Amino acid sequence: MKILVPVKRVLDYNVKARVKADGSGIDLANVKMSMNPFDEIALEEAIRIKEKGNAEEIIAVSIGVQQNQETLRTALAMGADRAILVVATDDVHNDIEPLTVANILAAIALKEGPSLILCGKQAIDNDFNATAQMLSAKLKWSQATFASEIDVKEDNVRVTREVDGGLQTIDAKIPAVVSVDLRLNEPRYASLPNIMKAKRKPLEEINPADLGVEVTQRLKVIKTKEPDSREAGLILENIDQLVEKIQENVGG
Amino acid sequence: MKILVLAEINNGELAEDQTSKTVSAASTLGKVDVLCASNQCSDASTNIAKMENVENVLVLEDVLFAESLAESYSETLMDTINSYSHIFAPSSSFGKNVLPRIGGMLDVMVISDVSKVISEDTFERPVYAGNAIQTVQSIDKVKLISVRTSNYSAVPSTGSADIKKIDCKGNNPLTTFIENKMQTSDRPELTSAKVVVSGGRGVGSKENFEIIEGLADKLGAAVGASRAAVDSGFAPNDWQVGQTGKVVAPDLYVAVGISGAIQHLAGMKDSKVIVAINKDEEAPIFQVADFGLVDDLFKAVPEIEKKV
Ligand SMILES: Cc1cc2nc3c(=O)[nH]c(=O)nc-3n(C[C@H](O)[C@H](O)[C@H](O)COP(=O)(O)OP(=O)(O)OC[C@H]3O[C@@H](n4cnc5c(N)ncnc54)[C@H](O)[C@@H]3O)c2cc1C
């Protein structure tokens, strides 16, 4: 079977997002960009499934600007077999909405026929947590979100989901869309030889129009502002002072 | 404008806090109907009917909804949902699972994690782990909104809504429920507790976490944890606070052995008062804490527990 893994290029998780002075968004000029950490986990899982002999091919897809090529090269170096870049904008500040992303991925899925699509559960920039669910709806496939364990069987995939109350296990019929959570695995680093090899792996470049998809924006961003900031408070001298403060704020 | 709130009900049990706070957010725009879909609805619907500002409770009782699996939930509700202009759900694992699927079916964007309802088409939501707040305006015909419930208070239980049964004609050939491993606890719920005591990697082990739990129990608090503590197996996953865990805003948040990474702060920096205990005076948690103590937690926490 084939596995499709969408990967997003986002502001590196170690870099603090800075709001642009004019309130038009986050400053993404000259900052470190990386693969969305959740997508790395999804890709790692796909590679492990393939290593166990349960998949033949892994296709990484990235949607956004031309520079997403770098993200796809990383995906190829980690272990994806080929990559598809969908150039949907020429402005890094233009975030393609999950709904459009889902439409694009659905079109690719219909062409490629994967049995499994593994997505990160959310992108750490827009924090929407929506693409996998929308994609699954568009394809009318089974949906398993927030996976912390994935076991691929013959006709279905058994997924343990991290939910608010604890853990839930479900069987999702293949083809399935699964979104992954942080505890699923720890992604590998690409080795130098694999980075070299990745340069020769196929990377196809297309446009949304090639897939018959229109890029829309349903949510107009009117303003981006800094959150209310907290001031650093008092460093107390001893435990008794702290006990006092705790008692004052517990409300009796 | 016609507003529907999707109540969160797990196996017949209403998530009252989440649902009531979602009703509260939706009430900014007017009277609401609440959809009560589960395998057992009598208790849940009675409680929902008392929530202020609720006009109708739509009851859909079927075993199909026991676990709120996304496919059956969204598919079956299409007819009902279609007559509403605004659909609100809590931004819990329930809401995050079903609402975007409904969006995919309706070809409508979802507006996740809304922290403020400004008008019928304009909303505020945090992005970048809460490092920025975006105001967005939706041009979709239907608004699908998941609510960051920690930003809202529950509505009073002074209402008396009508309870109406509606029909269901669904099945779910796509996913099968296997089992739940839910944590049960006598402590208050993490997302609605007035006091939260959280432990991080500094706590060192699952056994040591009893120090955190001891202080929490003394204070009548819920227990939280950082991702590092959960990943290391010190604490269960449903205790995680942060960008990818739960968002809390208690009156008092006590962070013990937690460094204060932005992803952790994303889940607790709206707490009224933050107290931090960390042996490293440079730890970033002190930059957001109202009161800090630079000390070894193994010495400090048991002593605090004794004295409070
Ligand atoms: C995509 C993504 C999402 C994430 N989501 C979350 C999330 O939702 N929630 C979350 O918490 N993290 C999240 N993280 C992880 C986050 O970046 C940090 O790694 C994590 O919060 C660190 O946990 P910690 O503070 O317990 O551990 P550390 O950073 O290791 O800090 C441990 C602290 O304990 C102190 N300490 C050690 N021993 C003692 C002692 N004896 N007495 C007193 N203090 C002591 C140390 O000084 C240190 O400050 C996420 C990361 C990524 C990449």
Side-chain angles (χ1 to χ4, degrees):
Chain A
M1 69 176 199
K2 281 191 205 176
I3 305 179
L4 197 72
V5 184
V7 294
K8 186 175 186 184
R9 180 175 183 266
V10 298
L11 180 66
D12 186 87
Y13 80 96
N14 271 315
V15 178
K16 188 172 186 302
R18 267 204 309 275
V19 176
K20 285 198 272 186
D22 63 1
S24 65
I26 299 294
D27 196 353
L28 295 176
N30 306 314
V31 290
K32 186 176 177 209
M33 304 289 281
S34 304
M35 190 189 297
N36 180 38
F38 290 98
D39 303 345
E40 264 184 321
I41 295 169
L43 180 58
E44 173 66 35
E45 195 64 18
I47 297 166
R48 290 185 191 186
I49 292 170
K50 188 182 163 195
E51 284 171 348
K52 278 198 215 142
N54 287 332
E56 287 83 50
E57 191 182 33
I58 301 167
I59 308 163
V61 182
S62 196
I63 299 161
V65 290
Q66 189 73 44
Q67 295 92 306
N68 288 28
Q69 250 196 44
E70 294 161 25
T71 317
L72 286 171
R73 286 292 168 205
T74 307
L76 293 168
M78 278 175 72
D81 297 293
R82 62 190 169 92
I84 302 172
L85 170 63
V86 184
V87 181
T89 174
D90 54 11
D91 179 1
V92 280
H93 292 99
N94 180 9
D95 188 36
I96 308 298
E97 285 178 353
L99 188 64
T100 297
V101 171
N103 280 325
I104 290 172
L105 292 172
I108 292 176
L110 291 179
K111 239 171 79 181
E112 297 284 353
S115 304
L116 203 56
I117 305 181
L118 291 179
C119 307
K121 79 162 179 181
Q122 80 194 69
I124 60 162
D125 50 5
N126 62 32
D127 282 332
F128 268 120
N129 194 331
T131 300
Q133 298 88 315
M134 290 182 157
L135 174 59
S136 170
K138 295 273 173 195
L139 291 167
K140 299 194 167 69
W141 288 7
S142 66
Q143 165 178 329
T145 48
F146 327 141
S148 63
E149 236 181 282
I150 297 177
D151 188 6
V152 179
K153 311 230 165 105
E154 197 127 311
D155 309 316
N156 61 55
V157 44
R158 178 157 294 190
V159 177
T160 301
R161 309 175 53 228
E162 292 204 1
V163 293
D164 288 343
L167 299 170
Q168 178 181 73
T169 304
I170 59 173
D171 278 350
K173 210 170 187 173
I174 288 174
V177 181
V178 179
S179 87
V180 309
D181 217 318
L182 288 172
R183 269 169 286 281
L184 182 61
N185 61 47
E186 247 180 81
R188 68 195 66 193
Y189 291 101
S191 67
L192 196 58
N194 284 343
I195 293 173
M196 300 311 289
K197 258 195 262 167
K199 293 187 176 153
R200 293 189 304 272
K201 288 186 179 175
L203 192 160
E204 179 193 357
E205 193 181 310
I206 55 174
N207 296 309
D210 300 335
L211 299 163
V213 176
E214 193 195 341
V215 177
T216 62
Q217 195 178 5
R218 308 293 181 82
L219 301 180
K220 205 163 78 183
V221 179
I222 296 181
K223 185 171 78 185
T224 304
K225 65 174 185 193
E226 301 260 2
D228 296 339
S229 67
R230 282 190 93 99
E231 306 274 303
L234 278 180
I235 296 287
L236 304 172
E237 267 151 36
N238 56 51
I239 292 177
D240 289 335
Q241 287 180 352
L242 188 70
V243 167
E244 202 176 296
K245 291 298 173 196
I246 288 178
Q247 275 163 340
E248 277 171 20
N249 290 290
V250 187
Chain B
M1 193 163 50
K2 238 184 126 194
I3 306 163
L4 183 69
V5 169
L6 308 181
E8 172 167 349
I9 305 166
N10 303 305
N11 244 311
E13 195 171 327
L14 176 67
E16 192 157 356
D17 186 71
Q18 298 276 4
T19 303
S20 179
K21 287 172 176 172
T22 305
V23 167
S24 169
S27 299
T28 320
L29 300 177
K31 293 264 182 214
V32 306
D33 289 353
V34 178
L35 184 76
C36 176
S38 191
N39 50 334
Q40 287 166 31
C41 292
S42 58
D43 290 353
S45 58
T46 313
N47 283 330
I48 297 167
K50 288 187 203 137
M51 291 180 186
E52 195 171 86
N53 221 33
V54 177
E55 225 161 29
N56 299 295
V57 185
L58 311 179
V59 173
L60 193 49
E61 195 170 70
D62 194 295
V63 281
L64 191 59
F65 302 114
E67 303 297 335
S68 309
L69 296 177
E71 296 85 346
S72 31
Y73 196 94
S74 43
E75 189 84 46
T76 317
L77 300 180
M78 262 314 128
D79 288 345
T80 313
I81 282 172
N82 260 327
S83 59
Y84 289 88
S85 61
H86 289 71
I87 298 159
F88 287 79
S91 169
S92 55
S93 52
F94 156 75
K96 285 174 176 165
N97 190 41
V98 301
L99 206 60
R101 188 173 180 98
I102 294 169
M105 295 173 81
L106 296 174
D107 199 53
V108 162
M109 248 310 272
V110 64
I111 314 165
S112 310
D113 260 328
V114 164
S115 50
K116 194 171 172 188
V117 177
I118 296 179
S119 73
E120 60 182 275
D121 64 359
T122 307
F123 308 89
E124 271 185 18
R125 56 181 302 270
V127 292
Y128 286 89
N131 279 302
I133 310 288
Q134 251 177 12
T135 308
V136 294
Q137 185 176 29
S138 164
I139 59 162
D140 276 317
K141 53 187 189 302
V142 182
K143 319 293 184 220
L144 298 177
I145 299 135
S146 77
V147 176
R148 181 168 270 229
T149 47
S150 60
N151 283 63
Y152 287 89
S153 317
V155 289
S157 343
T158 48
S160 55
D162 290 336
I163 298 179
K164 294 178 180 163
K165 282 212 183 317
I166 56 172
D167 269 346
C168 153
K169 48 161 177 34
N171 62 350
N172 182 358
L174 294 175
T175 50
T176 315
F177 169 73
I178 304 295
E179 62 168 353
N180 279 333
K181 283 201 184 120
M182 297 300 176
Q183 297 286 330
T184 48
S185 155
D186 296 334
R187 298 195 182 100
E189 217 187 313
L190 186 52
T191 48
S192 56
K194 296 229 172 311
V195 182
V196 174
V197 182
S198 286
R201 198 199 309 269
V203 177
S205 70
K206 193 173 172 187
E207 292 69 44
N208 291 347
F209 229 81
E210 284 171 17
I211 305 177
I212 305 296
E213 298 178 49
L215 177 59
D217 290 340
K218 190 80 183 279
L219 296 173
V223 184
S226 70
R227 174 188 171 191
V230 177
D231 284 4
S232 313
F234 308 169
N237 68 286
D238 55 300
W239 288 4
Q240 182 175 315
V241 170
Q243 180 182 23
T244 45
K246 288 182 179 142
V247 178
V248 302
D251 293 341
L252 176 65
Y253 187 89
V254 185
V256 183
I258 292 177
S259 62
I262 44 174
Q263 293 86 6
H264 187 78
L265 300 185
M268 45 65 82
K269 71 181 156 74
D270 291 332
S271 305
K272 220 180 264 166
V273 172
I274 297 173
V275 165
I277 302 165
N278 197 303
K279 66 176 180 189
D280 172 12
E281 61 180 324
E282 305 280 315
I285 190 79
F286 288 125
Q287 288 161 24
V288 298
D290 300 281
F291 305 106
L293 182 72
V294 181
D295 205 345
D296 186 287
L297 72 93
F298 297 106
K299 174 173 152 276
V301 178
E303 196 177 328
I304 296 168
E305 186 190 329
K306 225 176 288 157
K307 290 181 172 168
V308 287

